[in-house]
């Protein structure tokens, strides 16, 4: 019996977090533009994101919503207890090199540090400030994951061997039979 009560508490907490994430998502995005991309009515989309309405947001709709908006914060709320984070992989036109990712990480970290300083002295934390700070934190996490992915891709397969070979040849190393 205690297990059932504990499960219901976890479910209620997760449902409240999901509802809050849906409300924040609706506040932070242009629902009309997203509804057009998803070929859904704007009112229906707003109703699906509003916990007070009887309409429910289905998993496939959530996936499309996150895909079209580029915002995976609702997914992250759902998966946070599992220890996972959802990050969108960049399109070819959006890819950044390692230096750009490092500089972006520093900028996002600085903004988060500034927010933390303001939160320490504030008496209460408004919902809008919380949502903006969470969006920055999700962007920073996404950037870090992409940095890790870039590093792993650079150090696997034949690429490191080729680059070491090219460095070896370019720095004037003697080649057997050619010296």
């Amino acid at each position: 019996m205690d297990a059932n009560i504990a499960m219901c508490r976890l479910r209620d907490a997760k449902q409240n977090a999901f509802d809050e994430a849906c409300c924040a998502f609706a506040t932070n995005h242009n629902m009309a533009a997203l509804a057009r991309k998803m070929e859904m009515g704007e009112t229906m989309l707003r109703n699906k994101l509003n916990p007070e309405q009887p309409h429910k947001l289905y998993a496939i709709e959530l996936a499309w919503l996150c895909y079209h908006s580029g915002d995976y914060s609702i997914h992250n709320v759902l998966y946070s207890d599992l220890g996972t984070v959802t990050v969108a992989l960049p399109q070819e036109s959006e890819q950044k090199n390692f230096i750009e990712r490092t500089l972006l990480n520093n900028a996002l970290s600085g903004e988060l540090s500034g927010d933390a300083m303001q939160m320490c002295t504030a008496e209460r934390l408004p919902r809008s400030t919380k949502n903006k700070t969470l969006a920055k934190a999700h962007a920073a996490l996404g950037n870090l994951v992409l940095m890790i992915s870039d590093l792993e891709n650079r150090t696997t397969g034949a690429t490191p061997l080729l680059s070491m070979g090219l460095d070896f040849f370019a720095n004037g190393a003697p080649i057997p039979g050619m010296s």
Side-chain angles (χ1 to χ4, degrees), residues 18-19 21-23 25-26 29 34 38 40 45 48-49 56-79 86:
F18 176 75
D19 292 344
C22 287
C23 291
F25 188 93
H29 294 283
L34 284 172
M38 294 177 62
M40 181 186 290
L45 182 58
K48 286 181 180 260
L49 290 169
K56 299 296 176 207
L57 185 64
Y58 294 104
I60 192 69
E61 293 168 335
L62 176 59
W64 274 107
L65 184 65
C66 293
Y67 173 78
H68 286 297
S69 68
D71 182 353
Y72 291 85
S73 58
I74 299 174
H75 272 278
N76 287 333
V77 165
L78 290 173
Y79 297 136
T86 307

Side-chain angles (χ1 to χ4, degrees), residues 15 48 53 85 120 153:
Q15 185 66 50
K48 286 181 180 260
Q53 295 292 323
V85 176
C120 287
N153 289 337

